Amino acid sequence: MNAPKPTPTFDRGNRTYYVSDERMRAFGQLSVAQRLQWVEQCAQFVRLAQAAKSQATPQSR
């Protein structure tokens, strides 16, 4: 009889995102203002996603 394997825990802080050298060079070519705009747009996206998740019904989670 095999014992069930424990479900691995998901650590939200342990994420990896790979970026190509080409994309890093393109980001490096942006002005400081463009970089800040990019960061603000990312932050806005995250806030919208968090708000949508908190408003989701329990069945859809």
Side-chain angles (χ1 to χ4, degrees), residues 21-51:
D21 290 341
E22 181 181 331
R23 290 190 73 180
M24 289 297 293
R25 279 191 293 275
F27 188 77
Q29 296 293 319
L30 298 176
S31 69
V32 173
Q34 289 171 317
R35 291 180 196 183
L36 289 172
Q37 182 181 19
W38 183 86
V39 170
E40 282 298 318
Q41 289 171 346
C42 289
Q44 182 181 13
F45 171 80
V46 170
R47 286 190 298 270
L48 289 171
Q50 289 173 335

Side-chain angles (χ1 to χ4, degrees), residues 5-25:
K5 293 181 181 180
T7 304
T9 57
F10 179 70
D11 180 4
R12 294 179 67 104
N14 189 18
R15 297 183 186 195
T16 303
Y17 181 74
Y18 296 97
V19 179
S20 68
D21 290 341
E22 181 181 331
R23 290 190 73 180
M24 289 297 293
R25 279 191 293 275

